[in-house]
Amino acid sequence: MSTFLLEVGTEELPASFVNDAIAQWRSRIPASLTENSLAHEAIEVYATPRRLAVLIKGLPTQQPDREEEVKGPPAQAAFKDGLPTKAAEGFARKLGVELNALEIRPTDKGDFVFVRQTIAGRPTAEILTQLVSQWIFGLEGKRLMRWGDGDIKFPRPIEWLVALLNDAVLPIELVNGSETIKSDRITRAHRVLHPESVTISQADDYVDCLRSASVEVNPESRQTKIQQQVQAAAQKMDGYTEIYPDLLQEVTHLVEFPTAVVGKFDSEFLSLPTEVITTVMVTHQRYFPVFKTEKSKELLPYFITISNGDPAKSDIIAEGNARVIRARLADGQYFYKADLSQSLENYLPQLEKVTFQESLGSVREKVERLVKIAGHINEQLQLGEDERNNIERATLLCKADLVTQMVGEFPELQGIMGQKYALASGEPEAVGTAIIEHYLPRGAGDSLPQTITGQVVALADRLDTLVSIFGLGMLPTGSSDPFALRRAANAVINIAWAADLPINLHQLLQKIVADFVAKYPKTKSEELVRQLQEFFLQRIRNLLQDERNTDYDLVNAVLGDNDPEYTERALKDLLDVRDRALFLQTIRNNGKLNEIYETVNRSTRLAAQGDLDKAQLQPETVVSPELFQKASEQAFYDALVQIVPQTQASQEQRNYQLLVDGLAQIAPTVSTFFDGAESVLVMDADPNIKRNRLNILGLLRNHARVLADFGAIVKS
């Protein structure tokens, strides 16, 4: 068995590309080998800022031979009077076989000539030589570049290439205009710690060979080493550091030989908000901050950086990094003092100079819309006076920090600084908290607003964006969603669900659209409402299926299919549609759904041939007992009369178990109606009897519709 090594040496690659390239090669190279019938025992993908490498172990010397069946001309064209024609001779000559190797076989299109032949497997070296360029230039990245006078595109110029099959160099050439990069066994080590080139004797020696030259090519090993060094350095300072996953991943792909270096900054900067200091460190400088304890989050005047330089010069490196962060923190200190020189409310006029969207005006205009939308939500939730006042105030101030100097320099701090400046301006704590919370969730899996003030402002912000951007006709298409409208709609639903807010989205959208159309009269109100409703229904559907693990047919059963009544019901009560879907999944899982499925589903499908109002539950007004011909009809009728109070209680209390219990109780009676000794033919020749029986079934369907459209449920 053979081992193949490919190393692509480059100038320093962006950390984000290194991470993506590892994932792409781990997926594509195994698939590529399988496609070419090359078995393998293991594939290891390695990467540093200066190289991408793959080590493939357990390769055969060649592909296995394979049997191939080749279809030729129709038999009647290949043979005439039992003798081969020129068509048969040409087909045999093309494949290099004798005429007696031709076989005639029947197919759907008649008899054809076939040849079975053994195709010898190609040498592994030959196949790898062809695949290498595909693996390299098949990598996708956000920013690719050309260099020299060639047309090759890669994130950074390729400087060397190693290709070894066991101990032999596999001859590969990458031609880039007048430059040709030829494969070799010579690689480059660490720029500082081992500037000399390194010769790799055989593929299996790759990792150890570079490790001895101060390059750790295994990203997992580098990451583990970084994590251990950072934690040890923090403990040495009698502190604690948080290992930020994104920062850890980034610095892992920025170094080849990691060394944790501890630096110090002036204690006077600790008077800055913690978030300012950690943002400067983590986001801008890629440093790990040091806290006093894990729980307090109070900072110590230290930072930990990961160096790719000479460990013996760590003190010099620390001093250089300290100068950089000192300047950044000094800027932050200046911005903070300048921003606090006036109240947060005084920044509102400056929002008129910040454009939200060209056709929608300034952020100040957006804030005015938010205040109005928040008022609509307040009306629905019937909140107390204090809460309404806090919501109005928080909505007014929620974007004011965007024009502060601190947020101008560090946009990541929007909302965070708004909270701090609000409190410094004497605003209630609920207002400050809402300003930071209204940005939540920032993405999938992020935390949600926890206060009612923050929840309402967050809802208003998302709903304004959705209605406004939809109103301009800029709907998301495919993977294109530049305004993150799907995320915004998901946030609206998730906030309402998590906080159990009784939001009537159907009414809310109509009010917000009416306000929008009043300012933009060319917009078609009905069409805009329809588009938004369909969009929200799709988001509800996705969230129930993907995040709440609800079966697709049960989601269809609560949302309806081309059923305006059910669509409106779902949007009018987001909590109810969630509860009904989850309850259906529960009774499917515990088997209770099966107990009522057959009778209710059958009744629902037949009732569709009638015209009974779907809201009707009372049998007395739509069923005529004098038309009954069988005892099973009377029994069915009596059962429906008895279940009405139970269904009504289920509606009022939203206790759908009551409804299911009632449907289970009458299931045997319904079965007798359909299949018992006293069964009836629903579609009777007498139109009055037929209508009477369809109304009985329609009543059962209507009772079940309090929970779901059973016609949409698939038998499990």
Side-chain angles (χ1 to χ4, degrees), residues 326-339:
R326 187 181 301 117
R328 297 291 282 169
L329 292 177
D331 288 343
Q333 191 175 57
Y334 172 80
F335 298 144
Y336 188 52
K337 290 178 180 179
D339 290 341

Side-chain angles (χ1 to χ4, degrees), residues 568-686:
E568 185 174 325
R569 179 181 174 186
L571 294 174
K572 279 185 173 180
D573 196 334
L574 295 178
L575 304 184
D576 181 60
V577 73
R578 173 202 65 188
D579 293 345
R580 287 188 290 125
L582 298 182
F583 177 72
L584 280 173
Q585 189 65 56
T586 298
I587 62 174
R588 166 169 280 176
N589 293 344
N590 65 25
K592 295 295 183 182
L593 182 60
N594 286 338
E595 295 178 11
I596 62 173
Y597 174 81
E598 290 291 349
T599 53
V600 176
N601 183 269
R602 188 172 179 184
S603 299
T604 298
R605 287 186 283 108
L606 281 168
Q609 301 184 50
D611 57 4
L612 183 67
D613 186 340
K614 291 178 180 178
Q616 179 62 253
L617 295 177
Q618 301 289 347
E620 295 88 350
T621 58
V622 294
V623 176
S624 302
E626 63 271 14
L627 293 176
F628 293 161
Q629 295 183 320
K630 296 286 184 71
S632 61
E633 293 176 273
Q634 184 66 53
F636 199 164
Y637 176 84
D638 293 341
L640 289 170
V641 172
Q642 292 173 5
I643 200 179
V644 170
Q646 204 162 338
T647 300
Q648 291 173 335
S650 175
Q651 281 180 305
E652 294 169 3
Q653 302 170 22
R654 284 191 185 169
N655 183 351
Y656 296 111
Q657 188 62 55
L658 286 174
L659 174 63
V660 170
D661 290 344
L663 294 175
Q665 289 171 9
I666 69 171
T669 302
V670 181
S671 295
T672 300
F673 176 85
F674 281 128
D675 302 314
E678 291 288 310
S679 64
V680 301
L681 177 65
V682 175
M683 310 305 284
D684 195 90
D686 186 325

Side-chain angles (χ1 to χ4, degrees), residues 17 137 139-147 152-156:
F17 174 77
F137 301 117
L139 288 170
E140 299 172 7
K142 293 181 180 179
R143 295 180 182 87
L144 304 180
M145 62 177 288
R146 294 188 179 91
W147 65 96
I152 284 181
K153 294 167 68 177
F154 207 66
R156 292 293 183 271

Side-chain angles (χ1 to χ4, degrees), residues 71-257:
K71 183 180 178 183
Q76 62 181 10
F79 292 93
K80 186 174 183 180
D81 299 328
L83 298 175
T85 64
K86 290 185 177 180
E89 292 172 351
F91 178 58
R93 186 166 52 252
K94 176 183 176 182
L95 297 180
V97 299
E98 299 295 330
L99 286 170
N100 59 12
L102 303 184
E103 301 177 12
I104 298 176
R105 296 185 194 167
T107 71
D108 294 339
K109 297 182 179 180
D111 292 345
F112 277 78
V113 172
F114 288 84
V115 167
R116 291 183 63 85
Q117 57 181 175
T118 299
I119 307 297
R122 295 167 59 203
T124 298
E126 179 184 320
I127 298 170
L128 291 173
T129 301
Q130 294 178 348
L131 292 179
V132 162
S133 61
Q134 298 175 23
W135 294 346
I136 297 172
F137 301 117
L139 288 170
E140 299 172 7
K142 293 181 180 179
R143 295 180 182 87
L144 304 180
M145 62 177 288
R146 294 188 179 91
W147 65 96
D149 57 356
D151 294 324
I152 284 181
K153 294 167 68 177
F154 207 66
R156 292 293 183 271
I158 297 174
E159 296 189 334
W160 76 90
L161 191 67
V162 175
L164 292 178
L165 188 60
N166 295 326
D167 59 353
V169 174
L170 200 64
I172 298 172
E173 292 186 354
L174 302 180
V175 179
N176 186 38
S178 59
E179 177 188 9
T180 299
I181 302 167
K182 296 183 178 181
S183 60
D184 203 337
R185 63 174 70 250
I186 299 174
T187 184
R188 300 181 191 177
H190 195 281
R191 281 191 186 275
V192 176
L193 300 176
H194 198 294
E196 304 85 4
S197 297
V198 175
T199 300
I200 303 173
S201 299
Q202 57 181 5
D204 282 320
D205 295 341
Y206 178 65
V207 174
D208 291 337
C209 188
L210 277 173
R211 188 173 288 151
S212 66
S214 301
V215 176
E216 177 55 73
V217 294
N218 188 324
E220 285 78 19
S221 297
R222 284 201 312 279
Q223 182 167 298
T224 299
K225 186 177 293 186
I226 290 170
Q227 190 165 353
Q228 292 171 345
Q229 289 184 6
V230 168
Q231 290 171 335
Q235 290 173 2
K236 192 174 181 179
M237 296 296 108
D238 293 325
Y240 165 83
T241 187
E242 181 176 347
I243 303 296
Y244 301 89
D246 290 344
L247 177 59
L248 177 62
Q249 178 179 286
E250 184 176 10
V251 296
T252 296
H253 299 314
L254 288 174
V255 298
E256 294 195 311
F257 188 83

Side-chain angles (χ1 to χ4, degrees), residues 284 335 339 401-414 417:
H284 293 263
F335 298 144
D339 290 341
D401 68 337
L402 295 179
V403 290
T404 62
Q405 293 189 59
M406 183 71 82
V407 174
E409 181 70 15
F410 305 112
E412 308 90 339
L413 294 174
Q414 62 182 358
M417 298 313 300

Side-chain angles (χ1 to χ4, degrees), residues 450-462:
Q450 298 301 304
T451 66
I452 185 63
T453 310
Q455 290 157 0
V456 172
V457 180
L459 290 172
D461 192 17
R462 271 67 172 199

